[in-house]
Amino acid sequence: PMYQNNVRRTGVYLKQDELNFLKGDFNDDGCVNLEDFFLFADNFQKEVNKENEKFDLDKNKKIDVEDFFIFAEDYGKCVKKY
């Protein structure tokens, strides 16, 4: 069917890749906050590897100021965990 790979939320169909997740929620607690900032700061300007690749938010193989700007967009936001 047309919506085979979609998720239904409150009567609106969204493609899976259109769902918004908090990119800066590094500790997976549902919020982007100071704890996540410290995790990011500990990895800032380090070489990207398997252990820290989640901090490379723009996937350019660098943990840099561009990733910080992406992180900052969601700072202070929370989502419900289901």
Side-chain angles (χ1 to χ4, degrees):
M2 183 175 168
Y3 298 109
Q4 181 176 357
N5 294 323
N6 296 343
V7 176
R8 185 171 184 217
R9 292 276 187 238
T10 63
V12 176
Y13 287 95
L14 299 171
K15 292 181 184 175
Q16 191 67 35
D17 61 350
E18 291 174 331
L19 294 175
N20 291 324
F21 297 97
L22 297 176
K23 294 178 183 175
D25 182 17
F26 301 122
N27 63 357
D28 199 31
D29 67 354
C31 294
V32 179
N33 54 30
L34 200 55
E35 292 177 31
D36 300 297
F37 171 77
F38 287 128
L39 292 171
F40 180 82
D42 285 343
N43 289 277
F44 187 71
Q45 295 191 330
K46 289 188 178 177
E47 186 174 322
V48 176
N49 57 47
K50 288 286 184 191
E51 289 78 40
N52 69 5
E53 65 187 357
K54 67 182 175 182
F55 301 101
D56 180 19
L57 298 175
D58 63 1
K59 305 298 182 207
N60 68 348
K61 304 295 182 200
K62 295 183 278 186
I63 302 169
D64 57 13
V65 70
E66 299 303 323
D67 300 303
F68 176 76
F69 290 143
I70 294 169
F71 167 80
E73 288 177 17
D74 285 339
Y75 190 84
K77 295 180 183 175
C78 293
V79 294
K80 285 186 176 181
K81 296 291 214 173
Y82 295 98

